[in-house]
Amino acid sequence: MSYGVRLFVSGRWGLFVRPEMKVERVSYDVMTPSAARGILEAIHWKPAIRWIVEEIHVLKPIRFQSIRRNEVGAKMPARAVGTAMRTGEIGDLMLVVEDNRQQRASSVLSDVAYVIAARFEMTPKAGPDDNAAKHLDTFNRRARKGQCFHQPCLGTREFPAHFELIEPGALSPPAIDESRDLGFMLYDIDHAGDRSSLFFRAQLDKGVLRVPPPGSKEIRR
Amino acid sequence: MSALASLVRAYDRMAARGEVPAYGYSPEKIGFVISLNLDGSVVGIPTDLRRGEGRKRIARALAVPQPPKRASGIAPCFLWDKTAYVLGVTAGEGKRTVLEHSAFVAYHREWLAGSDDEGLRALLCFLEAWSPERFAELGWPEEMKDQNVVFALESQRLDGVYIHSRPAARDLWTRIAAAGEKNQAVCLVTGERGPVARLHPAIKGVWGAQSAGASIVSFNLDAFSSYGHKQGDNAPLSEAAAFAYTSALNRFLLRDSGHRIQIGDASTVFWAEAAETAAAEAEALFGFFTGDEKGTERIGEKRIEALLAKLRAGRPVEDFRPDLPENVRFFVLGLAPNAARLSVRFYLEDEFGVIAERYLRHMERMRIEPPPKDETPSMWRMLIETAPQHKSDNIQPNLAGEWMRAILTGTPYPLTLLSTLLMRLRADHDVNALRVAILKSILIRNKKMEVPVALDLANTQPGYLLGRLFALYEHIQAAALGTGVNATIKDKFYGAASAQPRRVFHLLDSGSANHLSKIGKQNKGRQVNFEKQLGALMDLMTPGSDPFPAHLPDEQQGLFALGYYHQRNDFFRKAEKSEEPQA
């Protein structure tokens, strides 16, 4: 039995931020593997499994639009929170939005739709009760019903993702007929290590972005 | 490919042609050369490198070791700097001049001490012996203050060899640049592992940004950093790549580079990737389309004349294909400043033929009869039609970029364009050819409407008919009262007539009855003629429906302006024709 799943995701906007342009945000042309992983994890995830994105199909033409929004430029220092927790004093623990306004521009993708083709692996954390069939079943059942632990999004939280399960055996919607070199794309963050960024060379081949498997040589670190 | 990656490639091509400085060097405006003897004593008065006359003297750009990024701290440059650092003199207040000068001396003492190069030694001797008072003692010119200065050995000065360009200085600069602890990571442009640029060189020449330069890649507030990374580690870009993309961009952004145009608030650069002649031709053509007059000189009048003739004749865009350079990859990048940062307004890359074709299609949609004075209006010329008082400052910030993107990608125009133009028309009643042309292009592209290029006597769209009727009433008024009327019915009623016809048209109708009777007293035939025209217009309106609706939707208001423009110019043309035979 295969553990592969396919999920159709779409939304009005998408913003898969390029790291070099994450302040005045500019999106990648195509959803990144880590964004796809985030969507899958929103539907079903347990420490026992690990999602591996294999392909991302682009279903709609790549179109950009730019918007400006007011955002906050400061972060609450972790130390201040720690102090407040220790002392129980929360008087100074605040961030005044009016003093920290930042206007930021974003180049966002408009009207996006993708098919995410992914599989999962069992991790060492899997216990005796865990087996692949059970998790696959759980994912399919939840995705079919539209259940999620948190609203999955297209890159950033402001752009919610609508999702539908593509039933095993059903045909995927056709991808756009476009091939291009997308340059180096963020693969994921090395959360287990020093939290550095991992990159891979992304190629759009007839609307399909093939993602190298974890640990392969194509992933630069 | 990302914007930065294609800029890096542009740099590599320019570096191969020797048009950009090598890694670690940048072109800076240098005002004076201080000439030294081997023992560090100065020779005569420093040479002025600036050109031009009077106050407009422009310093020369010389490739010098790249300056450090100075925000508020004190950081000297290597082997050159402004006089406050080098000599400790400044024309301004100079609270920190002493500190700056000593930092410069200390920095050079540290790095030059062990050198056995005679040029570097001479400079060190000069710095050890120098005191700011000597500036006045030597009688050096006042205008030298606050200029950037470089050094040269007197024996080599006339050959254009400066101390910073001596081989020993280059070696030393490479060592200095490599010194210091640097994080290693994979570069997101090249994919190679290398030292990560912590701060990227500044990008200068973006309109409205700080004159010291701004950055595309910067993390100047807490909220912009992730996972505990600092500065450049947030987006690992190798030093070489950071240098390459900023050098290429800075060169494109130069005023006369032939690679830049200003579109609203977006400083736009464009470049081509192809064999040299084809690339130059594509760049010149694009510059010409979007408003750089110099384009004409660079590709020769004939080519453009041929294109224009086809455009004027309203030939289909397919006809232009053979005139466009082929196999040219083309890049357009629009940048706008935002608080010490630069934001990318639009970036696109495509085959030049495709981009040019889209632009020509846009021009085709804009075609109108009679045409505007300038038949290939630049983007700027079109944009100021949307701005109050025709001032560039009043162009809506986001509109320019979005519109340009829409034109070059062939997508619908921004929705605000129509409402903005209608608002301008209501406010200043200036129904000119360009505005009507833009309205027409929006109606065709966004609303998928069939819109006539020239006066269409059979068009029965309510907006178009009302526009024509309005022009007719105005013409009747002019015929009755002469052209000396202070406020014509256009001045008084244009806005209301285009938006809420029911409120205004019966007033105009009764007014025109008076005007017609006045005309009739002098020239009965003319009165009858006008009445016939009015009748013919009214006949076109759909029977049974309200001739004067309470409101006109936006697209009909656009047609109103178009109908008005066509009808009104038709009167002018008739007048010209009837006068000609008499003359």
Side-chain angles (χ1 to χ4, degrees):
Chain A
M1 139 167 236
S2 94
Y3 310 146
V5 299
R6 281 174 306 155
L7 193 69
F8 169 84
V9 293
S10 64
R12 182 84 186 79
W13 313 102
L15 178 51
F16 310 101
V17 183
R18 292 175 182 276
E20 74 270 31
M21 295 180 192
K22 66 180 220 167
V23 179
E24 300 292 326
R25 297 187 183 112
V26 177
S27 176
Y28 277 115
D29 296 337
V30 173
M31 172 188 265
T32 59
S34 53
R37 177 176 60 79
I39 293 179
L40 298 169
E41 286 178 354
I43 298 169
H44 175 66
W45 179 79
K46 286 277 185 286
I49 61 169
R50 177 164 71 136
W51 282 107
I52 294 158
V53 177
E54 292 183 315
E55 280 177 1
I56 293 168
H57 299 233
V58 183
L59 308 183
K60 295 218 171 140
I62 298 162
R63 299 236 184 284
F64 282 91
Q65 188 163 4
S66 67
I67 51 175
R68 298 186 116 191
R69 296 179 292 181
N70 288 339
E71 298 178 24
V72 175
K75 278 199 274 200
M76 182 84 75
R79 202 145 42 106
V81 180
T83 313
M85 283 168 76
R86 226 174 24 253
T87 59
E89 286 282 326
I90 55 165
D92 295 335
L93 193 67
M94 60 171 142
L95 203 158
V96 182
V97 174
E98 279 70 22
D99 299 344
N100 285 297
R101 282 243 190 274
Q102 273 292 311
Q103 190 161 60
R104 291 163 77 180
S106 310
S107 287
V108 304
L109 292 166
S110 78
D111 196 17
V112 293
Y114 303 100
V115 167
I116 302 168
R119 64 187 164 88
F120 62 84
E121 279 176 2
M122 307 303 288
T123 64
K125 285 189 179 167
D129 295 342
D130 287 308
N131 64 68
K134 168 184 140 179
H135 284 289
L136 181 68
D137 226 31
T138 314
F139 178 87
N140 283 340
R141 190 176 60 240
R142 289 178 60 80
R144 209 171 280 137
K145 285 190 195 166
Q147 287 175 313
C148 50
F149 291 108
H150 54 258
Q151 178 63 47
C153 61
L154 294 163
T156 47
R157 280 290 173 83
E158 300 90 321
F159 303 131
H162 163 82
F163 63 89
E164 274 169 43
L165 181 72
I166 296 181
E167 296 292 343
L171 277 177
S172 289
I176 53 169
D177 184 23
E178 197 175 321
S179 304
R180 60 164 113 163
D181 180 6
L182 300 173
F184 282 92
M185 186 187 247
L186 182 71
Y187 177 76
D188 213 327
I189 304 286
D190 182 13
H191 288 286
D194 57 356
R195 296 181 147 183
S196 60
S197 315
L198 310 176
F199 294 94
F200 73 108
R201 186 86 196 212
Q203 300 274 358
L204 196 63
D205 179 20
K206 296 213 164 78
V208 177
L209 171 69
R210 284 191 182 79
V211 183
S216 73
K217 272 195 181 148
E218 286 174 60
I219 297 170
R220 312 279 182 107
R221 52 172 306 146
Chain B
M1 209 176 5
S2 80
L4 298 193
S6 41
L7 278 168
V8 169
R9 285 178 45 167
Y11 171 83
D12 290 343
R13 281 196 310 281
M14 286 194 286
R17 293 200 297 266
E19 291 174 10
V20 279
Y23 176 44
Y25 291 78
S26 79
E28 298 288 334
K29 290 178 183 138
I30 305 295
F32 287 83
V33 189
I34 297 175
S35 191
L36 302 177
N37 286 320
L38 287 181
D39 62 355
S41 57
V42 293
V43 184
I45 284 173
T47 321
D48 195 341
L49 287 179
R50 296 170 302 161
R51 283 187 209 137
E53 291 192 4
R55 300 176 117 203
K56 278 193 182 165
R57 306 189 71 166
I58 298 165
R60 192 150 116 204
L62 285 184
V64 290
Q66 215 176 10
K69 212 167 189 181
R70 283 200 282 244
S72 53
I74 291 176
C77 306
F78 188 59
L79 301 180
W80 69 279
D81 211 324
K82 54 184 180 178
T83 53
Y85 274 87
V86 179
L87 307 173
V89 291
T90 169
E93 275 194 37
K95 287 177 198 144
R96 305 191 312 183
T97 314
V98 181
L99 286 175
E100 287 170 351
H101 180 56
S102 51
F104 187 83
V105 175
Y107 180 52
H108 286 79
R109 202 177 276 151
E110 181 191 339
W111 285 102
L112 301 186
S115 174
D116 51 7
D117 180 71
E118 53 184 14
L120 296 177
R121 292 243 310 255
L123 174 59
L124 190 59
C125 295
F126 166 81
L127 287 175
E128 298 291 358
W130 177 262
S131 68
E133 294 79 43
R134 292 204 59 200
F135 189 84
E137 289 165 20
L138 288 168
W140 284 2
E142 276 298 301
E143 53 184 356
M144 190 176 154
K145 285 180 176 172
D146 296 327
Q147 293 279 335
N148 287 324
V149 296
V150 294
F151 294 89
L153 284 179
E154 177 60 17
S155 52
Q156 291 178 312
R157 180 173 64 84
L158 291 176
D159 302 333
V161 177
Y162 304 104
I163 288 189
H164 65 256
S165 52
R166 292 172 67 86
R170 288 176 177 274
D171 289 349
L172 193 53
W173 178 233
T174 321
R175 281 216 327 267
I176 295 175
E181 295 253 323
K182 271 166 192 150
N183 282 341
Q184 298 265 325
V186 171
C187 170
L188 55 76
V189 168
T190 59
E192 307 291 329
R193 206 171 169 79
V196 171
R198 209 178 71 82
L199 293 175
H200 293 208
I203 292 158
K204 292 176 188 173
V206 175
W207 188 71
Q210 291 166 7
S211 56
S215 304
I216 292 185
V217 182
S218 79
F219 305 90
N220 56 356
L221 289 169
D222 290 352
F224 305 156
S225 56
S226 307
Y227 300 116
H229 293 312
K230 291 209 172 65
Q231 298 290 1
D233 292 338
N234 277 293
L237 212 67
S238 68
E239 297 226 313
F243 175 80
Y245 91 83
T246 48
S247 302
L249 199 49
N250 276 327
R251 189 174 125 67
F252 289 149
L253 280 167
L254 289 180
R255 199 157 288 277
D256 298 323
S257 69
H259 288 270
R260 83 166 279 169
I261 35 164
Q262 189 67 35
I263 298 175
D265 65 339
S267 299
T268 305
V269 293
F270 51 89
W271 66 97
E273 193 176 298
E276 212 156 313
T277 46
E281 195 167 19
E283 282 161 2
L285 263 176
F286 186 82
F288 173 75
F289 285 150
T290 47
D292 172 21
E293 303 292 326
K294 289 194 197 86
T296 339
E297 295 161 24
R298 277 186 287 139
I299 45 175
E301 298 277 350
K302 273 193 187 145
R303 191 94 182 220
I304 288 199
E305 277 303 316
L307 267 175
L308 279 186
K310 284 184 184 174
L311 205 62
R312 264 186 224 122
R315 299 277 287 281
V317 169
E318 287 69 29
D319 270 21
F320 293 90
R321 268 292 189 179
D323 292 339
L324 302 172
E326 276 178 31
N327 291 330
V328 179
R329 209 73 195 138
F330 206 73
F331 305 84
V332 187
L333 174 66
L335 295 169
N338 183 10
R341 306 184 294 259
L342 297 178
S343 74
V344 174
R345 275 289 153 78
F346 54 88
Y347 166 70
L348 65 117
E349 61 165 298
D350 219 322
E351 201 63 29
F352 179 73
V354 177
I355 290 181
E357 193 177 315
R358 289 182 188 138
Y359 197 84
L360 289 169
R361 280 194 197 287
H362 161 76
M363 298 299 292
E364 195 173 85
R365 284 193 288 267
M366 291 261 299
R367 202 158 54 82
I368 191 151
E369 220 35 74
K373 275 193 203 111
D374 184 0
E375 288 188 52
T376 48
S378 63
M379 275 306 288
W380 175 80
R381 190 69 198 77
M382 293 193 286
L383 273 166
I384 57 167
E385 291 299 339
T386 67
Q389 295 157 339
H390 284 91
K391 275 189 187 160
S392 330
D393 298 353
N394 294 338
I395 297 172
Q396 284 177 27
N398 230 340
L399 185 65
E402 286 290 293
W403 194 13
M404 188 70 186
R405 190 216 310 275
I407 292 171
L408 298 183
T409 55
T411 49
Y413 300 132
L415 289 171
T416 45
L417 194 56
L418 179 59
S419 52
T420 310
L421 269 175
L422 291 175
M423 197 171 69
R424 291 307 334 135
L425 284 174
R426 276 203 295 276
D428 60 22
H429 320 130
D430 180 11
V431 191
N432 64 33
L434 259 182
R435 282 185 178 176
V436 177
I438 299 169
L439 283 173
K440 173 174 171 267
S441 69
I442 302 168
L443 294 179
I444 295 175
R445 183 68 189 83
N446 286 26
K447 311 277 179 184
K448 310 250 177 330
M449 288 165 85
E450 297 260 342
V451 188
V453 173
L455 179 64
D456 178 5
L457 296 173
N459 193 311
T460 55
Q461 293 276 353
Y464 193 75
L465 286 177
L466 288 173
R468 284 182 59 198
L469 188 59
F470 190 74
L472 188 55
Y473 283 142
E474 190 198 26
H475 194 58
I476 292 172
Q477 185 198 35
L481 307 181
T483 47
V485 183
N486 275 334
T488 63
I489 65 168
K490 181 180 89 167
D491 299 332
K492 278 185 176 170
F493 298 116
Y494 183 88
S498 65
Q500 293 155 307
R502 189 180 291 166
R503 254 180 53 196
V504 184
F505 267 91
H506 71 271
L507 265 173
L508 297 176
D509 194 42
S510 57
S512 79
N514 296 335
H515 294 145
L516 282 171
S517 84
K518 185 170 179 196
I519 295 169
K521 280 169 196 154
Q522 289 154 356
N523 185 342
K524 191 69 190 167
R526 206 157 175 218
Q527 180 192 1
V528 175
N529 221 348
F530 277 132
E531 278 166 353
K532 267 187 196 159
Q533 284 186 36
L534 276 175
L537 247 176
M538 296 284 194
D539 281 346
L540 286 173
M541 295 185 181
T542 327
S545 72
D546 184 358
F548 304 129
H551 294 282
L552 280 183
D554 275 3
E555 58 263 39
Q556 293 294 337
Q557 287 190 40
L559 280 175
F560 184 95
L562 192 68
Y564 173 81
Y565 177 80
H566 281 158
Q567 184 68 54
R568 193 174 132 85
N569 283 291
D570 191 53
F571 292 138
F572 288 148
R573 198 170 326 156
K574 266 185 194 152
E576 278 166 25
K577 268 183 201 156
S578 60
E579 274 165 28
E580 269 167 26
Q582 291 166 8

